[in-house]
């Protein structure tokens, strides 16, 4: 499964630095053409929601493609444990690389102890969400309903990504961190609970 982990590490920069940013700019440009650029500048909530949706589904489609690639390498497994491994391995590389990058930046930023603690909680919440979403994709593969589970994972991911907008709107860091932690916990516990159902 090291192939999957390495794939996740390699895909992360491409997805975050190029694909997500390019898609976000393209979608926001289309919206701005319809509602006007000045109106867009005043719509922090709308811009934040659009950005969160694009970020969420870019991530989920990246994980879906990685699942399909690893599944192909594994000769399209149907065993629940093998499918789960095919989903989790690239997600581990993807999510842990992201957490390491963010936390390294936080540590180098000489943040106060409280802010550093919030940064660690947020990153673990993101890791939990990413793993929960991977479980959902594995369940989608097993149930033959990948599209439905990608949509479900994307909704939870959007809620988590929108917390960045709450930060921009001036919400207290503790409240934003708590919301993100709850979404991450929900995604992980819900996603993990789906896999045993696939063993029946």
């Amino acid at each position: 499964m090291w192939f999957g982990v390495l794939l996740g590490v390699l895909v992360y920069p491409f997805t975050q630095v190029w694909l997500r940013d390019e898609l976000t700019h393209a979608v926001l440009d289309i919206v701005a053409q319809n509602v006007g650029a000045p109106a867009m500048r005043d719509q922090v909530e709308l811009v934040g929601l659009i950005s969160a949706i694009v970020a969420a589904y870019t991530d989920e489609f990246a994980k879906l493609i990685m699942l399909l690639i690893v599944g192909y390498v594994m000769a399209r497994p149907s065993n629940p444990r093998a499918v789960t491994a095919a989903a989790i391995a690239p997600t581990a590389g993807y999510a842990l690389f992201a957490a390491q990058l963010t936390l390294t930046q936080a540590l180098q930023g000489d943040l106060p102890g409280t802010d550093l603690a919030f940064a660690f909680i947020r990153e673990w919440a993101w890791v939990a969400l990413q793993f929960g979403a991977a479980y959902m994709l594995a369940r989608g593969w097993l149930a033959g309903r990948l599209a439905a589970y990608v949509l479900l994972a994307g909704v939870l991911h959007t809620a988590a990504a929108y917390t960045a907008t709450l930060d921009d709107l001036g919400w207290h860091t503790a409240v934003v961190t708590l919301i993100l932690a709850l979404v991450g916990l929900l995604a992980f516990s819900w996603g993990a609970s789906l896999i045993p159902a696939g063993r029946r």
Side-chain angles (χ1 to χ4, degrees):
M1 282 293 88
W2 286 109
F3 167 75
V5 175
L6 179 60
L7 179 64
V9 171
L10 294 175
V11 165
Y12 178 82
F14 168 78
T15 302
Q16 298 297 313
V17 176
W18 183 78
L19 184 59
R20 187 189 71 176
D21 287 349
E22 290 295 323
L23 285 174
T24 300
H25 289 310
V27 173
L28 290 177
D29 285 345
I30 292 170
V31 175
Q33 289 171 7
N34 289 280
V35 303
M40 283 288 287
R41 283 194 292 270
D42 297 330
Q43 298 294 324
V44 177
E45 295 88 348
L46 176 61
V47 172
L49 179 60
I50 292 170
S51 300
I53 292 171
V54 174
Y57 283 99
T58 300
D59 252 27
E60 295 314 317
F61 279 115
K63 288 205 291 290
L64 174 60
I65 295 301
M66 290 189 291
L67 167 61
L68 295 176
I69 291 172
V70 176
Y72 177 78
V73 170
M74 295 175 66
R76 298 186 61 82
S78 57
N79 178 277
R81 290 191 179 189
V83 172
T84 303
I88 289 297
T91 298
Y94 192 91
L96 296 177
F97 180 82
Q100 182 271 334
L101 185 63
T102 303
L103 291 176
T104 298
Q105 292 171 344
L107 289 168
Q108 291 174 345
D110 196 25
L111 297 174
T114 303
D115 290 344
L116 196 57
F118 283 138
F120 272 87
I121 293 170
R122 288 188 185 199
E123 287 313 304
W124 281 113
W126 274 112
V127 169
L129 182 135
Q130 295 281 22
F131 275 82
Y135 282 127
M136 291 178 192
L137 297 186
R139 178 58 181 160
W141 176 303
L142 292 168
R145 295 189 297 167
L146 267 175
Y149 281 94
V150 168
L151 181 62
L152 174 61
V155 169
L156 290 170
H157 201 134
T158 298
Y162 192 73
T163 59
T165 301
L166 300 181
D167 256 336
D168 294 338
L169 291 171
W171 285 44
H172 194 282
T173 303
V175 175
V176 175
T177 303
L178 176 61
I179 293 171
L180 179 56
L182 290 174
V183 174
L185 180 61
L186 172 63
F188 182 81
S189 57
W190 191 358
S193 72
L194 294 171
I195 297 304
R199 296 194 184 116
R200 292 175 186 168

